């Protein structure tokens, strides 16, 4: 494959991935190549390559005679994703606490600061600011586990993050109507425990953080997801 073709495939993958994660495409919506080509201005081959990759990532499904579709959402998948995320990331955090150096600590501190600043300036009626907030949130959680020393583990974490963020994005625009929760205090406590090299506390707080998120998202989305079944 030429570098140009590979570049186009990467571009198509990034665009489609973002659109699915952000909710621009509805769950189970057909993804027809001709319509995608018109929408993104990318050829059939790069689009097919992108859709195949997204299928492997769990964001797209493919069936004979039906073609590609956006993967469905369900309460079962939400809970499974968040439980698996807690299981995997607590192990990665444990390894990072043991292996992390000054650069790892600096990544945690700087990403937490950036998350707090973006949280202050974000507004539910400004989609760009919410997208930036989710990016800062991702940066913080990836900083926590960035010293795990396992590329495979990091790939699994990335895949689980993508799976969970589809459920999180709608909650960002409604966060002021959500039950009271001091997210920055939760993130700060996890960071403090990690920097103090307290494995037991840091991993417990991270697991509790994800379990609480799963519970809140399940409650918020139970009605619309049940209606969609």
């Amino acid at each position: 494959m030429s570098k140009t073709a590979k570049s186009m495939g990467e571009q198509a993958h990034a665009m489609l991935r973002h659109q699915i994660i952000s909710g621009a495409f509805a769950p189970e919506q057909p993804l027809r190549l001709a319509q995608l080509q018109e929408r993104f201005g990318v050829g059939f081959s790069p689009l097919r390559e992108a859709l195949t990759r997204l299928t492997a990532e769990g964001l797209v499904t493919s069936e004979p005679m039906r073609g590609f579709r956006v993967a469905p959402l369900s309460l079962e998948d939400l809970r499974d994703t968040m439980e698996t995320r807690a299981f995997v990331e607590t192990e990665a955090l444990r390894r990072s606490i043991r292996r992390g150096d000054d650069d790892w600590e600096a990544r945690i501190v700087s990403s937490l600061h950036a998350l707090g600043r973006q949280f202050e300036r974000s507004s539910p009626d400004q989609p760009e600011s919410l997208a930036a907030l989710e990016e800062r949130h991702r940066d913080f959680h990836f900083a926590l586990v960035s010293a795990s020393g396992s590329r495979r583990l990091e790939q699994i974490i990335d895949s689980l993050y993508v799976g969970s963020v589809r459920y999180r994005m709608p909650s960002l625009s409604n966060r002021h109507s959500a039950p009271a929760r001091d997210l920055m205090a939760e993130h700060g406590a996890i960071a403090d425990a990690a920097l103090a090299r307290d494995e037991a506390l840091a991993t417990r707080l991270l697991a509790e953080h994800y379990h609480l998120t799963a519970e809140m998202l399940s409650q918020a989305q139970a009605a619309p997801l049940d209606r969609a079944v």
Side-chain angles (χ1 to χ4, degrees), residues 119-190:
F119 193 85
E120 292 172 356
R121 67 172 68 101
S122 292
S123 173
D125 57 359
Q126 296 177 347
E128 297 83 1
S129 71
L130 295 180
L133 177 61
E134 182 55 42
E135 183 177 351
R136 298 293 183 273
H137 181 254
R138 176 189 182 280
D139 290 345
F140 171 73
H141 279 281
F142 274 70
L144 286 171
V145 300
S146 61
S148 71
S150 171
R151 181 177 61 85
R152 295 286 188 182
L153 199 53
E154 291 174 1
Q155 290 174 337
I156 294 171
I157 290 171
D158 181 61
S159 176
L160 290 168
Y161 164 79
V162 171
S164 66
V165 77
R166 293 183 68 201
Y167 295 94
R168 273 181 42 78
M169 288 303 289
S171 71
L172 292 179
S173 59
N174 298 316
R175 76 170 194 259
H176 293 310
S177 61
R181 184 180 180 189
D182 193 339
L183 288 170
M184 286 310 303
E186 290 181 31
H187 290 110
I190 296 168

